[in-house]
Amino acid sequence: MAFLQDKILYSGLLVFCMTIVVSSHSRPYSPPSVAHLTDYFPHVSIDQGFSKSFGGSNVQLISNGSMANLALDKTSGAGLVSKNKYYYGFFSAAIKLPSGLSSGVVVAFYLSNADTFPHNHDEIDIELLGHDKRNDWAFQTNIYANGSVSTGREEKFYLWFDPTEQHHQYSIIWNSYHTVFLVDNIPVREFIHNSAFSFVYPSKPMSVYATIWDGSEWATHGGKYPVNYKYAPFVVSFANVEMSGCIWNPTAQVSSCSKAGTSSYDPVEGPEFVKLSKQQIEAMDWARRKLMFYSYCKDTSRFKVLPPECK
């Protein structure tokens, strides 16, 4: 175990926080048992559900289009974007991260509508941040609405496994009740919708993205460790993608959508998705106590007045 001073860049401000650095191999954590929400929905073939967003030849579809390898090298990163936009739902992907030294590398699975609303877009982010020789991959979540990037609501976690050895599931529940981030079906964060500050809650239809890119300026210790292309290409594998909920119909009213998928479970209004169970709450408490190392709600140097939901 070692202590490092973690320098995080937020909108031009450098935030320093003490971080305990622990190898994932030294964490004797066995995650709690929870319902496997990822078992409820069918997988979406990547070649049918997505288009190339950027990267050209750095995007490779394999296994008859059911999986994709995305690469980052000196020429480009790579990305996929869903062919449909969604207005609430359950979104998940099994991801295997690049092995070896990966400082500055960012792998993301997220929802955004920046293409449609460039000045007031919404976003729900899962970002996996590469590591230096002394650290593990970090799992970062963020959520913002109406372009409020400067008031990002980041939380960072370590993982209880080595994410480079095999695929692990990273999931998002998004409906009018809350947004929940899950790792291998363990909830690690719940952002509850509150009408008192609805302006911070994503409410417009969004596309689903899967990307790998160069985050040298901020991703690893605030940019201290940029991408070292000596170790390129960095290849991430996406598989077992699930996108179930409301497919937005752009020709109808904003709130109009049709159900995506054939599952009998409803991630928009179903009881399994609008409220966490006692078992899920206990599992989330476990993850936050043992694995979270940064929360914007505790960052008083960044916020003179903490955002309203922190209270």
Side-chain angles (χ1 to χ4, degrees):
M1 181 182 298
F3 290 88
L4 294 178
Q5 189 177 56
D6 200 9
K7 183 173 66 175
I8 305 170
L9 180 64
Y10 293 108
S11 303
L13 297 177
L14 290 177
V15 178
F16 293 86
C17 54
M18 295 306 295
T19 298
I20 300 176
V21 178
V22 189
S23 169
S24 61
H25 306 293
S26 68
R27 292 190 207 109
Y29 297 150
S30 296
S33 176
V34 294
H36 283 200
L37 300 183
T38 51
D39 291 344
Y40 295 178
F41 302 104
H43 296 159
V44 177
S45 177
I46 290 177
D47 64 345
Q48 295 180 7
F50 288 85
S51 301
K52 290 183 181 180
S53 176
F54 67 98
S57 61
N58 282 7
V59 177
Q60 290 188 330
L61 300 182
I62 58 177
S63 298
N64 295 319
S66 64
M67 301 174 63
N69 287 340
L70 308 184
L72 168 67
D73 58 25
K74 283 186 177 181
T75 63
S76 177
L80 300 166
V81 58
S82 62
K83 294 180 179 179
N84 293 315
K85 291 183 181 292
Y86 295 84
Y87 189 72
Y88 299 147
F90 180 80
F91 309 93
S92 184
I95 303 173
K96 181 181 179 183
L97 297 176
S99 59
L101 187 68
S102 54
S103 58
V105 177
V106 179
V107 171
F109 180 70
Y110 67 103
L111 293 94
S112 176
N113 48 34
D115 58 334
T116 308
F117 303 97
H119 303 296
N120 64 329
H121 77 285
D122 304 327
E123 199 157 301
I124 300 173
D125 297 333
I126 286 176
E127 293 174 316
L128 295 145
L129 311 180
H131 63 89
D132 58 38
K133 293 179 181 179
R134 297 170 292 178
N135 207 350
D136 293 332
W137 281 86
F139 173 79
Q140 176 171 282
T141 66
N142 196 7
I143 182 170
Y144 57 87
N146 299 309
S148 56
V149 183
S150 61
T151 317
R153 289 162 164 78
E154 299 90 348
E155 289 191 342
K156 287 188 176 185
F157 302 79
Y158 289 124
L159 299 166
W160 58 94
F161 50 80
D162 183 344
T164 70
E165 290 184 343
Q166 60 186 28
H167 288 82
H168 288 269
Q169 294 161 316
Y170 303 86
S171 311
I172 295 168
I173 298 171
W174 172 47
N175 55 39
S176 61
Y177 301 92
H178 57 186
T179 297
V180 184
F181 299 88
L182 308 96
V183 179
D184 282 348
N185 291 288
I186 301 288
V188 299
R189 179 182 183 183
E190 180 185 29
F191 188 80
I192 298 175
H193 183 142
N194 187 325
S195 58
F197 48 90
S198 59
F199 60 92
V200 304
Y201 190 85
S203 59
K204 299 185 289 290
M206 293 191 279
S207 300
V208 182
Y209 292 84
T211 61
I212 185 171
W213 47 282
D214 186 329
S216 292
E217 294 183 358
W218 65 274
T220 306
H221 299 301
K224 183 177 180 180
Y225 300 103
V227 175
N228 186 340
Y229 285 102
K230 172 184 174 182
Y231 301 97
F234 305 94
V235 180
V236 59
S237 173
F238 286 86
N240 297 344
V241 173
E242 300 173 14
M243 298 185 291
S244 291
C246 286
I247 295 178
W248 179 58
N249 181 354
T251 63
Q253 296 179 353
V254 173
S255 60
S256 176
C257 59
S258 58
K259 186 175 180 180
T262 58
S263 173
S264 60
Y265 290 90
D266 181 1
V268 179
E269 296 286 347
E272 300 87 357
F273 295 91
V274 301
K275 185 178 181 180
L276 295 181
S277 67
K278 182 176 183 293
Q279 185 186 48
Q280 288 173 319
I281 291 172
E282 291 174 350
M284 184 171 67
D285 289 343
W286 170 85
R288 296 178 72 79
R289 280 187 289 104
K290 292 186 176 294
L291 299 164
M292 186 172 71
F293 67 92
Y294 174 84
S295 174
Y296 72 105
C297 278
K298 298 183 183 300
D299 195 343
T300 54
S301 62
R302 180 183 175 196
F303 297 105
K304 293 182 179 179
V305 178
L306 290 175
E309 69 275 9
C310 295
K311 302 174 183 179

